[in-house]
Amino acid sequence: MSQNILQYEPKVWSTADLLIGAGIKQSDFPKYMMPYFAMIMLESRLVRHYNELLKDFGADSIADIEDVNDFLEEFKDYNIGYNEVVIKQHKTLADICKNDKTFDNDFDTYLKAFDPETKELLGVDRGNTEEKYLDISGLSGQLRKKNILFDTVKKWSEIDLTPFNNSDITTLEEHIKRKWADISAETAGEQYTPDDIISLITEIILSKIEDNGEFLTIYDPTCGGGNLLFGVEDRIKEIYKRPTKTFGMDMSDSLYALAKIESRFRVDSEILHGNTLTKISFIEKQFDVIVANPPYGVDWKGYRKDIENDTTERFHALPSISDGQFLFTQHILSQLEAKGLSVVVHNGSTLFSGDAGSGESNIRKYFFDNDWVEAIIQMPTDEFFNTGIYTYLWIFNKNKAEARKDKVILINGSDFYEPLKKSKGKKRKEMVFENRKTIVDALTDFEDTDFAKVFDKWHFYYNKQAIMLTNVDENGKTFEDQLPVKKNKQGEEVKAKSIKLSPTKIKQELEGETIEITDFEIKTFDAEKYNSLMDYYTEGVKPLVNSLDYKEADLIVTTEKTNYYFDTDKETIIEVSKDSKTALGCGKIVIKASYKKATKTKDAYILISTELTPDYEKDYEVIPYLPSEEDNQKNIASFMAKYITKPFRYVDNTIGVEINFNKVFYKPEQLKPLNEIKRNLNSLEDKLKELESIL
């Protein structure tokens, strides 16, 4: 840059002084500043192109050109935008603001002189039912009511960006958008990607692709104002000679408009408006490089039906409704070319949220099963402008080197930063070139270091083995042994699931109140208290039966010849007859109430049933995973033999995937030597004695 364009940053920001005086709250500054900032960027680029085209025509002004229409047609052919007032009349905003008496009409004429696409993006005279994007007409009307429109436009007109090229203007734009993001990112997880992270992402990409002159497509499905997408493209083009085309999409009206305006001044760029997850404008395309910093911690319930009914086969599994970032990642990988590379910014929840079998775990497993994950890099905290949390770069590579197949490297870059001399919002750290080079070198070397660890991808898999335990009493006895064996319809011998009792009385003391049931087939009810037998069942019998607990108090089930109760000390069912007392083993006394509807031969009634069952308990064991099915089963069996002492049967096994950075890079605090601790304690005791003597 011949001049430092960032000198204009405070001048741009000073335009907000008038907004403050008009009582506009700070969080609304971006809404009021974006249209005018876009307008002066447009004008400066149009004026610069006008001057360049004049040179091609060998003229000093448009008046010197013999056929003005040729000039204007060629100007329009560049498709960068057009303004009749600026180009044909050669009048700028600064000229319009010289006369405050004619300003209103002149400014209105100036806005209407833009080409149709630019007017649509700026929001010039858009109706209530039309997309407004930046809504410059509506906001200008509001500023006019506050009597500050002329002063606001005049202040903006004093910012002359014509000496700067597109790249310079983009740099200024990124810094301004960063400030806007800092004060107005009211939606959780919408993060502006800072320059140092953009540089790191680009350097990672450059380390993985060749400078072979081939056409390179770059895509950002959540491009916002385009700072990450265009920043990566610019940095790649600074180093490599590959021709590029950028593609982007965003659902924010204003940010899309800024990115779209920016795209028109680039050699080859296509930016669309809409929700990437529900609008499939680019779905037929495959991209060489995809970069993204999708929103995280943001729910997707507003378009849940669209996602659940999606027919593109992008979504292998669905994450929690409260956080849709993994939806974007699945979309990204569906559009990544067969040998493509992607770098995606995520928060930490994508590493471990969700148990085995959950949407998040299944999505991680899908990525790892396909061997797309090459690296995950932890960034320092306080790297972004409106959040201080840890963030992570997921490096997806569909063209892994042979030596890296089925391997993943974790890189802990949390300590590689320099503190900023002055904080920028919550951004207090930045990764300078040396920090970034350390990370890129670690990715290139793909070897274990103090801050980098290479794993077989299977290291992150685990079995969540479900088992059904059969509980036993103090003597190792289970009620399951008491169950009779019966023959089923096929003549096979099968063990009964329970023993049904025919009680004459059930009694239990609960909180000083005695509950006693002697009627087990109830057909009558108190009509003064209940409207029907069904009401009696719902409001009286069922709650009463549900309150019975065979473990919590002395519940006794009496039959004609025996009594049954549960001995909580010995954890066994006791059967008491006239001549004996027998421990039947650990089990349950199950008492249920059910409502039986009337039939042709029988009136409706309430049935209270009692049965004795074994005490089964479902449990889960988390066990390391082995990729060979045979070895994995042996490993599970070995684990069970070592740690499970009760009888059990296998139920189902779910494979989960999670990444635990803290566990991998945890460094226990070094304890001081014992003699040093003693010295410190003795010193404290001496000081206490001194204080006591003074008192």
Side-chain angles (χ1 to χ4, degrees):
M1 286 184 288
S2 55
Q3 304 177 55
N4 183 4
I5 195 168
L6 294 184
Q7 67 180 302
Y8 284 88
E9 184 178 348
K11 197 162 187 177
V12 169
W13 202 248
S14 72
T15 61
D17 293 344
L18 290 164
L19 303 179
I20 296 171
I24 295 169
K25 60 184 181 180
Q26 190 180 39
S27 60
D28 282 339
F29 286 1
K31 180 174 73 175
Y32 284 89
M33 294 175 70
M34 279 184 187
Y36 302 103
F37 185 64
M39 188 168 57
I40 65 159
M41 287 196 304
L42 267 166
E43 182 184 271
S44 65
R45 283 163 157 161
L46 293 177
V47 170
R48 190 176 69 250
H49 187 68
Y50 168 86
N51 292 330
E52 290 170 354
L53 197 57
L54 280 177
K55 291 178 183 178
D56 292 343
F57 274 75
D60 293 328
S61 73
I62 197 169
D64 299 331
I65 298 173
E66 185 176 340
D67 191 339
V68 174
N69 287 331
D70 274 356
F71 178 86
L72 297 178
E73 286 303 316
E74 185 165 339
F75 191 103
K76 292 175 183 178
D77 285 344
Y78 279 91
N79 198 32
I80 60 174
Y82 180 75
N83 186 299
E84 188 83 6
V85 172
V86 175
I87 306 306
K88 194 171 183 179
Q89 300 177 28
H90 202 49
K91 288 176 65 177
T92 64
L93 275 177
D95 296 324
I96 289 171
C97 291
K98 287 177 181 176
N99 189 341
D100 61 342
K101 291 183 172 48
T102 61
F103 168 76
D104 281 342
N105 287 332
D106 290 345
F107 183 56
D108 185 56
T109 301
Y110 175 91
L111 291 179
K112 290 178 179 177
F114 279 110
D115 62 283
E117 185 178 8
T118 301
K119 284 197 289 186
E120 181 183 21
L121 294 169
L122 289 176
V124 177
D125 289 342
R126 304 294 285 170
N128 291 333
T129 60
E130 297 175 292
E131 295 280 11
K132 294 186 179 179
Y133 300 120
L134 293 171
D135 194 20
I136 196 166
S137 292
L139 293 167
S140 294
Q142 293 179 40
L143 296 181
R144 185 179 285 112
K145 289 179 182 178
K146 294 177 180 291
N147 296 316
I148 60 168
L149 177 61
F150 173 75
D151 291 331
T152 297
V153 176
K154 189 173 188 300
K155 223 172 187 0
W156 282 105
S157 73
E158 293 166 358
I159 301 170
D160 181 13
L161 302 179
T162 53
F164 303 99
N165 61 32
N166 286 341
S167 180
D168 296 340
I169 292 174
T170 301
T171 299
L172 175 62
E173 181 184 2
E174 288 174 359
H175 280 259
I176 298 302
K177 283 191 293 190
R178 189 272 300 169
K179 277 200 171 185
W180 287 337
D182 189 26
I183 67 170
S184 70
E186 295 174 355
T187 303
E190 290 186 356
Q191 311 298 343
Y192 176 94
T193 312
D195 291 346
D196 53 329
I197 301 298
I198 295 175
S199 293
L200 174 60
I201 290 172
T202 309
E203 287 152 10
I204 288 170
I205 294 168
L206 289 170
S207 75
K208 307 297 292 182
I209 65 174
E210 297 177 2
D211 189 9
N212 55 15
E214 292 182 3
F215 192 74
L216 187 72
T217 54
I218 310 169
Y219 173 48
D220 183 348
T222 56
C223 70
N227 72 302
L228 174 58
L229 176 64
F230 297 138
V232 167
E233 180 189 37
D234 288 343
R235 287 162 174 81
I236 288 176
K237 292 176 81 71
E238 285 173 9
I239 309 296
Y240 284 179
K241 301 301 181 186
R242 296 182 66 166
T244 60
K245 178 171 182 176
T246 50
F247 298 81
M249 193 167 187
D250 203 85
M251 64 188 295
S252 164
D253 293 349
S254 55
L255 292 178
Y256 155 73
L258 289 176
K260 182 66 176 179
I261 290 168
E262 173 68 25
S263 73
R264 296 166 77 190
F265 294 92
R266 293 183 167 266
V267 174
D268 203 354
S269 184
E270 188 175 349
I271 305 296
L272 299 180
H273 179 250
N275 184 341
T276 299
L277 299 177
T278 59
K279 198 171 182 179
I280 54 176
S281 302
F282 289 133
I283 202 69
E284 79 289 352
K285 296 184 183 297
Q286 296 282 286
F287 302 101
D288 301 312
V289 171
I290 303 180
V291 295
N293 182 4
Y296 37 81
V298 179
D299 71 59
W300 47 281
K301 62 186 176 185
Y303 40 93
R304 180 173 187 165
K305 287 185 179 178
D306 293 319
I307 299 296
E308 292 176 342
N309 296 326
D310 183 82
T311 59
T312 64
E313 300 182 352
R314 291 176 289 173
F315 306 121
H316 178 77
L318 301 181
S320 164
I321 196 74
S322 63
D323 191 352
Q325 58 186 311
F326 257 165
L327 291 174
F328 289 104
T329 315
Q330 291 180 90
H331 166 80
I332 286 166
L333 288 165
S334 75
Q335 296 207 252
L336 188 62
E337 199 267 332
K339 294 184 178 180
L341 180 75
S342 176
V343 184
V344 184
V345 185
H346 279 310
N347 68 3
S349 71
T350 53
L351 301 172
F352 52 79
S353 64
D355 201 354
S358 69
E360 288 85 353
S361 180
N362 286 342
I363 292 166
R364 286 190 293 268
K365 185 174 182 295
Y366 175 61
F367 297 160
F368 278 74
D369 284 350
N370 284 282
D371 198 25
W372 291 332
V373 182
E374 182 165 356
I376 302 174
I377 305 169
Q378 185 179 56
M379 299 288 96
T381 57
D382 304 317
E383 253 293 347
F384 286 79
F385 300 106
N386 56 349
T387 181
I389 64 173
Y390 279 117
T391 51
Y392 297 81
L393 300 185
W394 286 66
I395 315 300
F396 296 100
N397 189 351
K398 288 191 175 180
N399 189 31
K400 281 187 179 183
E402 192 61 35
R404 300 188 181 194
K405 300 280 188 190
D406 292 330
K407 294 187 181 296
V408 178
I409 187 170
L410 302 188
I411 301 173
N412 179 13
S414 60
D415 294 330
F416 300 134
Y417 65 87
E418 293 294 326
L420 288 173
K421 292 180 180 177
K422 184 179 180 182
S423 296
K424 298 176 180 178
K426 292 185 178 179
K427 182 175 174 63
R428 299 178 178 87
K429 302 171 183 175
E430 68 174 341
M431 304 183 83
V432 298
F433 174 75
E434 290 76 13
N435 303 139
R436 304 194 303 266
K437 185 176 185 303
T438 301
I439 289 174
V440 175
D441 287 347
L443 178 60
T444 302
D445 295 340
F446 215 74
E447 296 174 350
D448 286 350
T449 67
D450 289 342
F451 59 88
K453 302 294 178 186
V454 178
F455 296 94
D456 288 336
K457 71 178 186 182
W458 311 111
H459 174 83
F460 304 105
Y461 289 61
Y462 63 92
N463 298 286
K464 185 182 179 184
Q465 178 65 59
I467 57 175
M468 191 63 73
L469 292 166
T470 304
N471 287 323
V472 296
D473 64 15
E474 64 176 8
N475 296 316
K477 189 176 180 181
T478 171
F479 185 74
E480 194 174 52
D481 300 331
Q482 306 295 325
L483 296 175
V485 175
K486 298 180 179 180
K487 285 189 177 182
N488 61 18
K489 292 180 180 179
Q490 289 75 35
E492 300 169 334
E493 290 191 345
V494 292
K495 188 172 282 191
K497 294 182 179 180
S498 66
I499 294 177
K500 292 179 171 54
L501 302 180
S502 298
T504 56
K505 181 172 67 174
I506 297 174
K507 184 177 180 181
Q508 183 168 33
E509 296 284 343
L510 277 176
E511 299 177 354
E513 181 183 352
T514 301
I515 297 175
E516 188 169 295
I517 300 173
T518 56
D519 188 359
F520 298 92
E521 195 170 296
I522 304 168
K523 298 179 180 178
T524 60
F525 63 95
D526 185 346
E528 292 185 4
K529 291 180 66 175
Y530 304 102
N531 295 324
S532 65
L533 185 66
M534 172 60 85
D535 284 346
Y536 180 40
Y537 164 73
T538 304
E539 299 173 18
V541 177
K542 189 175 181 180
L544 177 70
V545 170
N546 288 346
S547 70
L548 299 174
D549 190 332
Y550 73 99
K551 280 189 175 182
E552 294 300 322
D554 293 330
L555 182 145
I556 300 174
V557 177
T558 302
T559 66
E560 287 187 2
K561 296 181 179 180
T562 55
N563 289 339
Y564 296 93
Y565 68 90
F566 187 81
D567 188 325
T568 54
D569 293 330
K570 296 179 179 180
E571 294 188 319
T572 192
I573 295 175
I574 302 295
E575 181 185 66
V576 182
S577 64
K578 185 176 180 181
D579 301 321
S580 64
K581 184 177 181 181
T582 308
L584 301 180
C586 186
K588 297 179 179 179
I589 302 174
V590 180
I591 304 169
K592 295 179 181 177
S594 58
Y595 181 81
K596 302 297 181 181
K597 293 181 179 179
T599 65
K600 290 181 179 179
T601 58
K602 196 170 185 179
D603 293 336
Y605 65 97
I606 299 168
L607 177 67
I608 299 176
S609 60
T610 307
E611 59 185 344
L612 306 180
T613 70
D615 187 359
Y616 297 121
E617 179 184 356
K618 194 172 185 179
D619 196 11
Y620 297 90
E621 300 296 335
V622 175
I623 306 167
Y625 176 82
L626 296 176
S628 161
E629 185 175 348
E630 183 179 350
D631 291 342
N632 193 48
Q633 290 305 316
K634 287 180 180 178
N635 189 46
I636 292 172
S638 175
F639 180 95
M640 296 299 177
K642 186 175 182 180
Y643 296 106
I644 307 301
T645 57
K646 296 178 181 179
F648 73 91
R649 59 183 170 85
Y650 291 108
V651 181
D652 51 65
N653 184 32
T654 306
I655 310 302
V657 172
E658 86 173 20
I659 302 101
N660 191 330
F661 252 84
N662 292 335
K663 186 176 180 180
V664 171
F665 295 105
Y666 173 71
K667 292 180 180 178
E669 185 179 348
Q670 294 294 320
L671 297 177
K672 294 178 181 179
L674 186 59
N675 57 356
E676 186 177 342
I677 295 173
K678 284 183 176 180
R679 283 198 303 271
N680 291 340
L681 287 172
N682 291 334
S683 175
L684 288 171
E685 286 180 357
D686 292 341
K687 288 179 181 178
L688 284 171
K689 287 178 181 178
E690 288 179 15
L691 290 171
E692 287 173 356
S693 64
I694 294 171
L695 295 172

